[in-house]
């Protein structure tokens, strides 16, 4: 018998403990409508571009081939000369990570962590990224941000948090970690299968949408963590390398993060067991170029290079492993958005993806890896209205993705003419007080 809560749940049933929670409250604004017409549409279904006129109603896409007169009150957006795409997805972010050279007490400060995340969320949104998977952040911060974005109280992409990163004592992210080290608060060191299970439950209790684990771990530890996460209905994303990937794949993790060395056998198992990959090539390019290599890390003790990383992606592509886009822009690298995101897509192109396939990785396939493909990732009637309008033809020139004109999240224009649209606050009138 399969122990996974998801198998007992029709995703169309709105229940309170849906592990694939859509972080949106019930829509109180059903009358809101947008019509995007006159442009090209990359709908993310098959990588093709077609003509179309998209009508949104409330927070959902109502029609992708609308003709006739729009309902009264519809805002008509002329998208001539532009391409409409599904909102982009970034599967690997750390919203609260500190920037370099900040004092330890500021790096750990929850107020600072929240403000750092708020600044980053604007960069993501203005880059056309409407969903992010947070792969480890400080304590409650990503969970609260998820709620506040869903309630339109702060601007940002949808946040799907993992909570704390779980690793073995002294493992990735916890190298030499002391209570005063900057990573404190976003890492959960665990030791032994029982404690790994407990660490998963702690993130579940906070409201995690996914569990993030990192090497090192024993076979018994990763088996326990994956069993616990799946039983709770959560997927597992895993930062690992070498034989740890074999262990993770055999344990049944759902996604392997990063382009780190792995055996052909592991790649074959990933393909045959439908285990996805988020290669995150861009942070390694930055590290190799800026720092010359990995230092002060016990979890990156192997030889690799930018070319080796690309080769891992090529091997996974040949084997038929599904891949999505993640940028893992730690430190102050978020300031390189949208360039960094586009460069990740160009790296996919270097590994043999067509431009259309790279865009599918950024949309449909990333939504599948997020376990949200029933609501996100393509432009189809009934899905959530997360749309971007890009001047140009990004399916022919990926660099056109830098020309973000409009971003729509939940059927609401959040970026207009390339920058944040902040509606005036909704004031409560004194007369309404009893
Ligand atoms: Zn990361």
């Amino acid at each position: 018998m399969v122990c996974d809560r998801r198998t007992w749940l029709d995703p169309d049933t709105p229940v309170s403990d849906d592990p694939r929670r859509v972080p949106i409250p019930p829509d109180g604004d059903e009358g809101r409508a947008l019509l995007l017409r006159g442009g090209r549409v990359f709908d993310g279904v098959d990588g093709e571009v077609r003509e179309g006129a998209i009508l949104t109603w409330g927070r959902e896409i109502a029609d992708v081939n609308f003709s006739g007169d729009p309902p009264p009150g519809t805002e008509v957006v002329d998208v001539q000369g532009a391409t409409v795409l599904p909102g982009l997805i970034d599967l690997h972010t750390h919203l609260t990570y500190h920037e370099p050279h900040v004092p330890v007490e500021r790096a750990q400060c929850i107020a600072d962590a929240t403000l750092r995340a708020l600044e980053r969320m604007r960069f993501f949104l203005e880059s056309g990224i409407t969903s992010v998977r947070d792969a480890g952040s400080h304590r409650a911060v990503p969970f609260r941000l998820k709620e506040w974005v869903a309630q339109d109280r702060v601007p940002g992409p949808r946040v799907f948090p993992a909570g704390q990163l779980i690793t073995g004592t002294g493992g990735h992210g916890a190298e030499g970690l002391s209570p005063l080290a900057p990573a404190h608060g976003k890492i959960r060191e665990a030791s032994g299968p029982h404690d790994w299970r407990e660490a998963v439950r702690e993130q579940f209790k906070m409201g995690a949408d996914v569990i993030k684990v990192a090497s090192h771990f024993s076979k018994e530890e990763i088996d326990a963590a994956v069993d616990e996460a799946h039983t709770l209905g959560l997927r597992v994303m895993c930062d690992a390398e070498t034989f740890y990937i074999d262990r993770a794949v055999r344990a049944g993790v759902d996604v392997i993060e990063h382009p780190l060395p792995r055996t052909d056998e592991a790649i074959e198992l990933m393909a045959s067991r439908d285990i996805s990959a988020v290669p995150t090539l861009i942070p390694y390019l930055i590290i190799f170029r800026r720092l010359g290599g990995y230092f002060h890390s016990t979890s990156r003790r192997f030889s690799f290079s930018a070319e080796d990383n690309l080769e891992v992606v090529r091997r996974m592509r040949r084997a038929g492993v599904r891949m999505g886009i993640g940028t893992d822009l730690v430190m102050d690298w978020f300031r390189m958005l949208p360039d960094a995101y586009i460069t990740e897509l160009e790296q996919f192109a270097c590994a043999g993806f067509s431009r259309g396939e790279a865009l599918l990785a950024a949309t449909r396939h990333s939504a599948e890896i997020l376990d949200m493909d029933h609501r996100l990732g393509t432009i189809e009637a009934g899905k959530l209205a997360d749309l971007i309008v890009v001047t140009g033809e990004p399916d022919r020139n990926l660099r056109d993705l830098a020309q973000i004109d409009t971003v729509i999240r939940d059927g609401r224009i959040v970026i207009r003419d390339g920058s944040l649209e902040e509606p005036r606050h909704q004031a409560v009138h004194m007369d309404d007080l009893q």
Side-chain angles (χ1 to χ4, degrees):
M1 180 177 179
V2 179
C3 291
D4 177 346
R5 285 183 174 178
R6 288 174 300 177
T7 59
W8 290 80
L9 181 67
D10 175 349
D12 291 328
T13 313
V15 297
S16 61
D17 66 344
D18 182 351
R20 290 175 289 199
R21 288 178 282 272
V22 178
I24 310 169
D27 198 335
D29 206 1
E30 283 295 336
R32 186 174 69 243
L34 295 171
L35 177 61
L36 284 69
R37 67 179 172 198
R40 312 160 75 244
V41 179
F42 177 94
D43 59 18
V45 174
D46 55 8
E48 298 298 320
V49 171
R50 38 182 74 88
E51 300 300 312
I54 302 160
L55 180 71
T56 71
W57 182 253
R59 68 186 193 200
E60 292 184 350
I61 297 166
D63 196 341
V64 295
N65 246 323
F66 184 79
S67 58
D69 295 327
T74 300
E75 179 176 349
V76 178
V77 184
D78 179 4
V79 292
Q80 275 187 46
T83 306
V84 185
L85 300 95
L88 305 175
I89 297 173
D90 191 331
L91 289 171
H92 198 121
T93 64
H94 299 279
L95 289 171
T96 66
Y97 274 26
H98 66 282
E99 293 170 50
H101 314 303
V102 292
V104 168
E105 58 274 18
R106 295 298 292 266
Q108 285 184 17
C109 170
I110 291 298
D112 264 53
T114 309
L115 290 169
R116 292 195 291 264
L118 282 173
E119 183 185 27
R120 268 157 230 207
M121 292 205 300
R122 178 182 186 147
F123 277 75
F124 282 113
L125 211 52
E126 288 182 345
S127 303
I129 296 161
T130 52
S131 293
V132 298
R133 190 175 59 164
D134 188 283
S137 271
H138 288 74
R139 300 192 185 283
V141 178
F143 300 105
R144 294 294 87 77
L145 288 171
K146 168 181 167 169
E147 288 174 9
W148 279 56
V149 168
Q151 294 165 6
D152 280 321
R153 297 173 78 181
V154 291
R158 301 173 192 283
V159 181
F160 294 89
Q164 293 173 305
L165 180 164
I166 303 168
T167 185
T169 307
H172 180 62
E175 295 103 327
L177 188 63
S178 80
L180 285 178
H184 188 67
K186 58 187 194 244
I187 308 288
R188 167 65 159 89
E189 286 178 279
S191 187
H194 178 77
D195 197 27
W196 274 72
R197 227 176 247 283
E198 184 62 19
V200 169
R201 287 181 177 164
E202 287 168 13
Q203 312 317 312
F204 177 77
K205 183 177 178 179
M206 294 290 281
D209 290 306
V210 61
I211 295 298
K212 166 82 178 287
V213 298
S215 56
H216 43 252
F217 40 70
S218 68
K219 178 184 176 305
E220 292 75 20
E221 287 169 333
I222 190 69
D223 284 351
V226 172
D227 179 62
E228 190 62 36
H230 284 177
T231 305
L232 293 169
L234 297 178
R235 288 190 175 178
V236 180
M237 57 190 292
C238 179
D239 169 328
E241 77 292 344
T242 63
F243 53 84
Y244 289 109
I245 294 182
D246 293 84
R247 266 182 208 172
V249 166
R250 289 208 177 84
V253 299
D254 301 279
V255 195
I256 300 290
E257 306 290 308
H258 308 312
L260 309 180
R262 66 202 63 187
T263 61
D264 286 333
E265 192 188 347
I267 289 175
E268 279 163 29
L269 274 178
M270 288 175 73
S272 65
R273 296 188 180 184
D274 198 22
I275 296 170
S276 306
V278 180
T280 71
L281 294 156
I282 192 72
Y284 297 95
L285 275 186
I286 297 171
I287 287 166
F288 292 137
R289 281 184 200 164
R290 278 201 174 170
L291 309 173
Y294 247 102
F295 303 98
H296 310 299
S297 168
T298 52
S299 60
R300 298 288 187 255
R301 282 179 177 164
F302 43 78
S303 301
F304 67 141
S305 67
E307 185 48 38
D308 292 339
N309 292 350
L310 262 184
E311 193 54 32
V312 170
V313 176
R314 288 189 192 108
R315 286 162 61 211
M316 291 197 293
R317 179 177 157 74
R318 280 197 294 273
V321 175
R322 182 196 296 108
M323 283 182 263
I325 300 295
T327 58
D328 200 10
L329 296 169
V330 294
M331 300 209 263
D332 55 354
W333 303 343
F334 66 93
R335 298 190 189 285
M336 297 182 209
L337 285 170
D339 187 27
Y341 192 96
I342 297 168
T343 305
E344 181 76 17
L345 294 187
E346 288 174 339
Q347 286 286 300
F348 270 52
C350 288
F353 284 64
S354 71
R355 285 179 287 270
E357 287 169 341
L359 291 173
L360 282 180
T363 54
R364 178 184 180 162
H365 295 154
S366 284
E368 288 167 359
I369 293 169
L370 201 51
D371 202 13
M372 286 297 299
D373 49 304
H374 59 308
R375 302 297 273 145
L376 299 172
T378 61
I379 302 177
E380 293 176 282
K383 288 210 173 174
L384 292 167
D386 284 11
L387 306 164
I388 61 173
V389 180
V390 177
T391 307
E393 302 182 345
D395 47 294
R396 297 203 173 115
N397 179 9
L398 291 168
R399 281 284 136 191
D400 284 356
L401 276 182
Q403 300 162 13
I404 298 285
D405 181 80
T406 305
V407 177
I408 295 159
R409 205 208 65 230
D410 292 321
R412 194 185 296 279
I413 293 179
V414 287
I415 302 292
R416 200 188 285 270
D417 298 329
S419 61
L420 210 55
E421 164 116 327
E422 268 294 276
R424 187 175 158 75
H425 70 273
Q426 297 283 310
V428 175
H429 204 278
M430 293 291 287
D431 290 349
D432 295 340
L433 298 176
Q434 292 297 314

